[in-house]
Amino acid sequence: MTILVTGGLGFIGSHTVVELIKNNYEVVIADNLANSKLEVLERLYQITGVRPIFYQIDVTDEALVEEIFRKHKFAGLIHFAGLKAVGESVEKPLDYYYNNIVSTMVLSKMCLRYQVDKFVFSSSATVYGEQPSPLREDMELKPRTNPYGETKAISERILIDTARANENFAVSLLRYFNPIGAHESGLIGEDPNGIPNNLMPFVTKVAKGLLVKLSVFGHDYDTVDGTGVRDYIHVVDLARGHVRAIEGLDTGVSIYNLGTGKGTSVLELVNAFIRVNGVDVPYEFVGRRSGDVATCFADVSKVERELGWKAELTIEDMVRDAWGFEQGGE
Ligand code: WQD
């Protein structure tokens, strides 16, 4: 069975490609390298012994996407390719709306035209906006007033309505919480271009001495220690959740939170990183980051009940593997 993975050289995409290959799927990757590197393809070969077919294309380009659908008979598609920096989306809303929504529309159109009847979509907990945790799939969507979150909510709507209008088109919307960590080999991991927006890659670069110190955004939240609480999930657990989602996808629309159901504060994560890896991470408390919420974690009972999947790796696994990748792998 062949699966098209858009954004398959990116952080979550590459880890999902590894798990798909381990489960005997053929994989075709489409990626425009906007936030990934071609060398990841070689590293996927080193890890799996398989070199997936790769197309360097922008999946908003309908003609180029159609050429791939003509060449391959896909059993399904996992759509990761997208712009995903919340702050950047406020500065460049049109880039985000165009790229994230047109790509979803082009891919959906090709799925209908070429009878590809399983579409797994990379969504985000951001669609819940500022609601009390634990967050449940049946909650009303209140995408934070940032274009990134809006593009995820709009893409979900497009896919839900398309599935309703085409009974053979089955959709799985996976809402990620905070993916961190890396493959145990250290060959693939979170490797953002430029200064990291997210906490974990910033921590690993401070630990390595590439950045001077971590700024902890806010120390006065109503949480266990005043710092922000999030639901961190190991990227390999997340990848395994995608394989289970595509296997369990039959008809209609499924919506699942992919998290651990547990909250961890910034200080708890940083201290775990220091303790497990035996390295220092200098930090200072600064003001809150605009748009941040105090606490965000998932209710994960639905995915466990319906797909029989749950996250298994621990915070210690996450910080160990994140450091292993920063150090350059095996
Ligand atoms: C985590 C915690 C920060 C950096 C975002 C997107 C979400 C998803 C994941 C795409 C917060 C604190 C961070 C730093 C800090 N992206 N922090 N210093 O904001 O929970 O989620 O990334 O799908 O959609 O919203 O992740 O890693 O940026 O922040 O103190 O230098 O770490 O305040 O409490 P976030 P994050």
Side-chain angles (χ1 to χ4, degrees):
M1 293 239 273
T2 304
I3 304 291
L4 172 61
V5 180
T6 76
L9 295 185
F11 176 39
I12 302 165
S14 57
H15 288 83
T16 302
V17 167
V18 168
E19 296 303 320
L20 285 167
I21 291 171
K22 276 170 62 176
N23 283 272
N24 302 315
Y25 287 94
E26 300 284 322
V27 173
V28 172
I29 295 174
D31 198 310
N32 68 358
L33 302 181
N35 193 23
S36 56
K37 297 180 175 70
L38 188 59
E39 75 185 74
V40 172
L41 198 58
E42 195 52 34
R43 298 197 172 185
L44 288 172
Y45 175 68
Q46 284 176 269
I47 293 170
T48 65
V50 171
R51 194 174 276 106
I53 295 169
F54 170 64
Y55 295 96
Q56 183 175 346
I57 65 157
D58 188 323
V59 290
T60 60
D61 183 321
E62 186 168 327
L64 293 178
V65 170
E66 178 147 30
E67 274 182 40
I68 295 176
F69 275 74
R70 277 208 200 96
K71 281 182 189 161
H72 302 275
K73 176 64 188 139
F74 296 125
L77 175 157
I78 306 181
H79 181 31
F80 292 105
L83 299 174
K84 67 164 200 168
V86 171
E88 185 186 53
S89 79
V90 176
E91 294 156 23
K92 303 175 180 173
L94 204 50
D95 291 356
Y96 273 69
Y97 282 107
Y98 188 86
N99 184 76
N100 291 4
I101 291 169
V102 171
S103 60
T104 301
M105 292 171 73
V106 165
L107 291 161
S108 302
K109 185 175 175 181
M110 292 304 143
C111 282
L112 298 183
R113 185 172 294 174
Y114 290 88
Q115 290 87 44
V116 178
D117 56 12
K118 292 172 187 277
F119 192 121
V120 174
F121 177 63
S122 164
S123 191
S124 167
T126 305
V127 300
Y128 291 112
E130 306 198 8
Q131 297 189 69
S133 290
L135 296 164
R136 291 188 329 280
E137 290 89 346
D138 60 0
M139 280 179 167
E140 183 193 356
L141 297 195
K142 295 180 181 172
R144 293 232 210 99
T145 50
N146 65 77
Y148 165 73
E150 292 286 359
T151 69
K152 290 298 183 181
I154 293 166
S155 290
E156 288 196 3
R157 266 262 59 82
I158 290 167
L159 290 164
I160 289 167
D161 291 347
T162 306
R164 283 191 178 141
N166 297 274
E167 62 180 3
N168 294 328
F169 184 61
V171 163
S172 185
L173 308 176
L174 303 182
R175 294 172 180 166
Y176 310 156
F177 282 72
N178 288 63
I180 61 172
H183 188 263
E184 61 187 1
S185 65
L187 290 171
I188 54 175
E190 189 169 9
D191 188 14
N193 296 334
I195 302 287
N197 293 301
N198 293 129
L199 176 62
M200 200 71 249
F202 205 106
V203 166
T204 57
K205 291 194 180 326
V206 170
K208 197 163 182 194
L210 300 174
L211 292 170
V212 176
K213 77 171 85 169
L214 170 71
S215 298
V216 177
F217 299 144
H219 192 202
D220 59 353
Y221 286 107
D222 181 15
T223 63
V224 60
D225 56 25
T227 64
V229 169
R230 295 293 183 275
D231 185 334
Y232 297 98
I233 176 172
H234 198 295
V235 65
V236 172
D237 268 331
L238 188 64
R240 290 170 178 158
H242 283 75
V243 177
R244 191 65 64 79
I246 208 148
E247 287 172 344
L249 192 47
D250 186 14
T251 58
V253 177
S254 316
I255 304 177
Y256 298 114
N257 288 334
L258 295 191
T260 65
K262 292 190 281 293
T264 300
S265 77
V266 174
L267 280 185
E268 286 169 337
L269 190 66
V270 170
N271 289 330
F273 185 93
I274 292 169
R275 182 178 73 251
V276 167
N277 297 312
V279 291
D280 191 21
V281 178
Y283 62 82
E284 64 173 347
F285 295 111
V286 300
R288 296 181 176 188
R289 178 173 65 178
S290 69
D292 274 355
V293 296
T295 298
C296 173
F297 61 89
D299 175 325
V300 292
S301 54
K302 185 182 178 192
V303 67
E304 188 172 340
R305 183 176 63 249
E306 295 188 7
L307 292 185
W309 172 90
K310 65 183 290 190
E312 293 168 350
L313 297 167
T314 64
I315 288 286
E316 287 70 23
D317 295 322
M318 296 176 213
V319 296
R320 182 197 64 234
D321 293 337
W323 182 230
F325 173 68
E326 185 64 58
Q327 289 182 293
E330 53 196 10

